[in-house]
């Protein structure tokens, strides 16, 4: 039924739950996992910062994002491999995390997205937004939400 699960992770405490649960689900289904990290783009410094510093800042932030993603995806791959689950990891930077996740599901031919949500309630969603809610509204594939 489901052959490839897209599992976005961000390194937060709830990512551990997404990793563990998606590995177990993939193992039961005989599916592979595509781990995915979408880091927000670094804010663009203002004019007072100067042109040279702008280039430096973006490069440092991009490098930090890539290193963070590499560590997360490396841990994820190690756990998946130990469970006998096929894994591949991908990373991107985007201002629109929900859109990046749904585009990744299409690009990597995933037939389900597995995400965790903080479950902050109505007020939290109103104030903080929700990547999960954004993915739900954009996705053309099923979304499994863990709480």
């Amino acid at each position: 039924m489901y052959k490839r699960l897209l599992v976005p992770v961000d390194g937060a405490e709830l990512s551990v739950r997404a990793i563990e649960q998606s590995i177990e689900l993939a193992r039961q289904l005989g599916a592979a996992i595509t781990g995915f990290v979408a880091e927000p783009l670094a804010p663009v410094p203002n004019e007072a910062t100067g042109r040279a510093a702008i280039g430096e800042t973006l490069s440092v932030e991009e490098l930090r994002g890539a290193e963070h993603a590499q560590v997360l995806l490396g841990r994820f791959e190690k756990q998946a491999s130990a469970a006998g689950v096929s894994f591949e990891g991908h990373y991107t930077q985007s201002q629109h995390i929900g859109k990046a996740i749904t585009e990744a599901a299409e690009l990597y031919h995933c037939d389900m997205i597995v995400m965790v949500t903080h479950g902050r309630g109505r007020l939290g969603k109103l104030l903080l937004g929700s990547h999960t809610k954004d993915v739900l509204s954009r996705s053309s594939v099923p979304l499994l939400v863990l709480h």
Side-chain angles (χ1 to χ4, degrees):
M1 180 175 222
Y2 297 106
K3 297 297 178 195
R4 179 162 297 279
L5 311 177
L6 180 74
V7 185
V9 293
D10 63 4
E13 192 174 316
L14 286 176
S15 288
V16 173
R17 182 180 202 135
I19 290 169
E20 292 170 352
Q21 295 295 316
S22 65
I23 289 171
E24 180 58 25
L25 179 61
R27 192 183 64 70
Q28 290 177 12
L29 295 172
I33 291 177
T34 298
F36 185 67
V37 175
E39 293 280 350
L41 289 170
V44 178
N46 61 29
E47 290 280 333
T49 311
R51 292 201 182 273
I54 291 171
E56 277 180 33
T57 302
L58 292 177
S59 297
V60 169
E61 290 300 321
E62 288 170 357
L63 182 59
R64 283 186 189 142
E67 288 173 350
H68 179 247
Q70 185 177 17
V71 168
L72 287 174
L73 294 171
R75 288 181 191 154
F76 198 164
E77 181 174 27
K78 188 174 182 178
Q79 286 182 257
S81 179
V85 173
S86 177
F87 179 90
E88 66 180 45
H90 298 279
Y91 157 77
T92 193
Q93 285 188 309
S94 175
Q95 277 307 111
H96 306 286
I97 304 300
K99 183 177 179 184
I101 292 169
T102 55
E103 288 176 350
E106 291 178 29
L107 181 64
Y108 303 118
H109 308 287
C110 299
D111 45 22
M112 178 186 278
I113 301 171
V114 179
M115 293 181 70
V116 292
T117 183
H118 294 281
R120 291 185 178 106
R122 289 185 209 163
L123 182 60
K125 287 181 184 176
L126 179 64
L127 297 175
L128 302 172
S130 168
H131 296 308
T132 306
K133 186 178 175 183
D134 189 26
V135 170
L136 181 60
S137 70
R138 293 175 182 272
S139 183
S140 61
V141 300
L143 173 64
L144 175 62
V145 180
L146 305 171
H147 178 60

